[in-house]
Amino acid sequence: MQTMNNLQNAAKILSEGGYTCVICSDNDVQTSNQRGVAPLLKWLDETKNLSDYSAADKVVGKGAAYLYILLEIKELYAHVISRPAYDLLQKYGIPVSYTTMTELVRNRDNTGFCPIESAVITIDNPHEALNAIRKKLENMKVCR
């Protein structure tokens, strides 16, 4: 019987558990139902070292890709990934598998593009991207 690796396990938990995001290491599984980049920012703020972790996520745009790079995950499965996110993860040497690739991630009401992906689309540095993401989220809170 073949044992499941961390990436397969994370992807299975993601699809069966109805989560938005899952990270898996040999002896640790963490899940989230938070939407968007919220779980990634939480893990980043906790200064977790995720270099031994595999991740599975429902939707990965370029903003989430930058956060995964900063989290130093080992590999990623995305149900949906944007072309810019895929290219960025490849550039940083993070293996990616996915079900669907799209040109850009759409926003939640499908009236345009994801505001987080739009905020980082022209950025080429993970730390600058993190600042742009935090600023965009702050501006979005003020607008609500």
Side-chain angles (χ1 to χ4, degrees):
M1 182 169 86
Q2 185 180 3
T3 59
M4 201 177 306
N5 69 30
N6 287 327
L7 187 63
Q8 291 167 328
N9 194 30
K12 183 177 193 294
I13 293 167
L14 179 78
S15 66
E16 292 178 359
Y19 299 106
T20 56
C21 184
V22 177
I23 55 173
C24 238
S25 184
D26 292 335
N27 54 2
D28 186 36
V29 174
Q30 295 188 37
T31 60
S32 180
N33 284 314
Q34 291 181 291
R35 295 173 71 169
V37 296
L40 307 182
L41 289 170
K42 177 180 161 278
W43 291 324
L44 203 54
D45 289 343
E46 291 171 354
T47 59
K48 284 188 169 296
N49 178 344
L50 300 181
S51 61
D52 288 336
Y53 283 75
S54 299
D57 201 317
K58 279 192 158 193
V59 180
V60 176
K62 191 174 179 185
Y66 270 125
L67 297 178
Y68 279 120
I69 288 161
L70 290 168
L71 287 165
E72 299 179 5
I73 60 149
K74 185 165 64 176
E75 57 191 347
L76 173 70
Y77 162 76
H79 185 66
V80 174
I81 192 166
S82 72
R83 168 63 67 187
Y86 179 83
D87 292 345
L88 182 67
L89 290 160
Q90 292 293 297
K91 176 182 167 185
Y92 280 85
I94 297 174
V96 180
S97 55
Y98 60 89
T99 300
T100 304
M101 185 178 291
T102 183
E103 283 310 305
L104 291 172
V105 173
R106 305 283 298 171
N107 63 14
R108 289 184 186 145
D109 54 7
N110 205 26
T111 57
F113 296 112
C114 165
I116 300 300
E117 185 157 54
S118 297
V120 301
I121 202 69
T122 61
I123 294 176
D124 290 325
N125 176 288
H127 295 285
E128 287 176 28
L130 175 60
N131 291 337
I133 290 166
R134 290 193 192 281
K135 185 176 181 181
K136 184 63 169 180
L137 288 172
E138 197 55 42
N139 289 343
M140 288 167 65
K141 280 184 200 165
V142 170
C143 294
R144 287 189 180 175

